Structure formats: structure tokens, C-alpha cells
Amino acid sequence: MPVRHILILGGTTEARRLAEQLAGQSAGRPADRPLRVTSSLAGRVAAPRLPAGDVRIGGFGGPAGLAAWLREQHVDVLIDATHPFAGTISRNAAEAAAEVHVPLLALRRPSWVPVSGDHWYPVDSLAEAAAALPALGRRVFLTTGRQGLAAFSELTDLWFLARSVDAPEAPMPPQTEVLLDRGPFTLDGERAVLREHRIDVLVTKDSGGAATAPKLTAARELGLPVVIVRRPELPPGVPATPDVPGALAWLAALAPRT
Ligand SMILES: NC(=O)c1ccc[n+]([C@@H]2O[C@H](COP(=O)([O-])OP(=O)(O)OC[C@H]3O[C@@H](n4cnc5c(N)ncnc54)[C@H](OP(=O)(O)O)[C@@H]3O)[C@@H](O)[C@H]2O)c1
């Protein structure tokens, strides 16, 4: 059966790129074989970069709500292209897709890999990152996003530079300077941030991808320790691809004539 409606769970660069590619395919389809491409955003960012095609914003109401949406909107294929740390929506996607019998693919950019000269301290959570910090430095560059700063709020002796797209949620550590910025970031820019703020330790999630990787290079150059939060596992049984060409190939194999 031809694929007529693809839902992309988005909020990432890869999701936007995939939507753009599929919207291009959609434009080239004959009128009797239309292809609808919908991207779904959580609505966390005040002014998101909108993908091509249809866009819906806001939660579905758990796995049951997502399953209902898939049914009502006649979605044939679901692509979970959310951020590697958006674990709840990925679990919801797996549950809903299984319930509605819709093929599901996870589009996950690869993890970052340490290279010679890196001093990485892998941890499993923001709480573990907070516990590791006092032994590693006093001036912390925190790049874990606007949520979850509460995990560091007891660290009253440390100074934090917290970078996020929108203002972070309270509570946060008492000595926090907020830096509102959105990637991609450059190596020169990251060097400048580390130097100007006399950073002596970096905290990041293992988000992967090129857009936010320069901070790792800048930290390596300065010999700074990096506390890196490991990713949550993908739900079991969900096929995954690391990039947009992989997702397009998976779609083509799924429905060769669409
Ligand atoms: N976590 C990060 O570090 C990070 C970084 C960059 C971008 N993002 C993007 O930001 C969004 C939210 O991330 P999160 O970590 O807060 O997610 P999460 O914890 O996995 O999801 C929490 C809830 O937010 C809703 N939601 C999440 N992604 C959605 C989407 N694409 N479309 C519709 N609803 C969505 C769902 O609500 P319902 O249960 O009501 O459906 C979900 O249960 C994701 O789309 C992700 O790609 C996250």
C-alpha cells in the first residue's frame, strides 16, 4: 500500500532536514498519489524553526493520545526524529506504533566519541553530573538545556554559565549566569566563551551531531574536563538509522512504489 501520510516527531535538525526532503518528494507526486508530511513539535521553544510540510505543535496526551492521532489522521509511517534525550516521546512512539500497527523508525544521530586529549567523565544523569562537579572545577559551563538545572541547585559554591535557547526553568544554582543562544556554534565562539568566563569544567549531554560539537574541541584544547551525560536507550525492537539518507532509504524499502 502506498505511503500517504508520514508523521515525523521532530525538534531536531535531522527532523527538519527529513521533512524538507520528503516535502520535495511530495511536491513531485502525481495528484492521485499525494503524500502528506506532518512534523510534530513539543512546543518547548518559543520561536521554533518550522519544518517544511504540515506542522502540529504540542503534546498528544501520552501514548494513547498519539495512537488516536495516528488513527484519526491516517498516518502510515511514523518517524521518531526527536532528540536523543527525549526519552518519553520515544517510548510513547514505540507503544503507539505497536498499538496501531504503524511502521516506526528512529532517526538518531550517532553519539560523540572521545578522541586523544579528551578528559571525559561519563555519567548517567544530571544528578550524577552534579555529584561529579565539585571534584572537577569551580566555574562550570552548563549546556544541558533549559530543563533540569534543579539538579545543580545545591551546588552553592560553584559558579555556572547556563546556556540554552530559552530562559532556563527555576530552581537553579544561586550563582548562575544565563547565556541565551542557539546553535550551530563555532569553534572560535566556543573558545571565546570558555576563555571569557574562565570556565574550568564543561557539562553536556551526549547529544551528538556537528552543531554543538565545537565546545568539545574547545574544551580539549584547553585541557578541561567534560562531564558527559549518557543517552537513554531506545525502546527495544525499534529500528534505527543515524541520518536522513538512512531514513529515506528505509522509507523507500518500505514502500518501493511510493
Ligand atoms: N531533551 C533534550 O535535550 C532536547 C534537546 C533538543 C530538542 N529537544 C526536542 O524537544 C522536544 C521535547 O523534548 P523533551 O526532552 O521535553 O521530550 P520528552 O521528555 O521525551 O517528552 C515529554 C512530553 O513532551 C511531548 N513531546 C515531546 N516531543 C514531542 C514532539 N516532537 N511532538 C509532540 N509532543 C512531544 C510529549 O507529550 P504527550 O505525552 O502529551 O504527547 C511527551 O510525553 C522533543 O521534540 C525533542 O526532539 C529535546
Side-chain angles (χ1 to χ4, degrees):
M1 210 179 76
V3 171
R4 289 173 183 271
H5 189 186
I6 299 173
L7 175 62
I8 302 170
L9 300 171
T12 58
T13 306
E14 291 80 1
R16 270 199 314 281
R17 289 196 185 133
L18 179 63
E20 197 179 323
Q21 294 276 328
L22 291 173
Q25 289 185 11
S26 165
R29 290 262 287 244
D32 63 336
R33 286 198 297 122
L35 173 64
R36 182 177 165 205
V37 179
T38 304
S39 294
S40 173
L41 305 178
R44 300 278 191 282
V45 176
R49 293 174 184 146
L50 291 180
D54 293 352
V55 179
R56 64 164 302 287
I57 296 182
F60 294 92
L66 176 55
W69 203 92
L70 295 175
R71 254 193 221 104
E72 284 156 17
Q73 299 294 322
H74 305 288
V75 172
D76 309 296
V77 176
L78 178 59
I79 300 194
D80 170 16
T82 57
H83 191 270
F85 281 82
T88 306
I89 189 72
S90 293
R91 284 193 300 279
N92 293 356
E95 204 176 307
E99 186 187 325
V100 183
H101 304 291
V102 163
L104 166 65
L105 176 73
L107 169 51
R108 277 291 173 287
R109 63 179 87 134
S111 280
W112 286 320
V113 178
V115 300
S116 171
D118 279 327
H119 303 285
W120 285 12
Y121 295 81
V123 295
D124 282 323
S125 64
L126 293 178
E128 275 189 26
L133 277 177
L136 295 173
R138 316 302 295 167
R139 295 181 65 83
V140 184
F141 186 23
L142 196 54
T143 63
T144 50
R146 72 182 182 85
Q147 294 173 300
L149 265 65
F152 302 90
S153 59
E154 304 292 311
L155 296 172
T156 53
D157 291 343
L158 305 191
W159 181 89
F160 289 85
L161 179 67
R163 182 169 69 190
S164 53
V165 177
D166 290 316
E169 287 174 2
M172 59 181 91
Q175 300 188 66
T176 300
E177 181 176 327
V178 172
L179 175 61
L180 296 183
D181 206 352
R182 166 151 52 189
F185 299 104
T186 64
L187 181 54
D188 278 348
E190 298 296 55
R191 284 179 184 133
V193 170
L194 296 184
R195 288 219 176 88
E196 280 163 22
H197 297 277
R198 291 177 290 115
I199 297 298
D200 53 20
V201 57
L202 166 69
V203 184
T204 180
K205 294 174 177 172
D206 173 19
S207 298
T212 58
K215 64 188 169 191
L216 300 171
T217 309
R220 183 186 316 130
E221 287 176 355
L222 294 173
L224 301 186
V226 177
V227 180
I228 184 153
V229 185
R230 292 189 187 96
R231 299 171 167 198
E233 296 284 323
L234 270 177
V238 175
T241 187
D243 52 25
V244 170
L248 293 172
W250 180 84
L251 281 166
L254 194 70
R257 291 189 314 282
T258 53

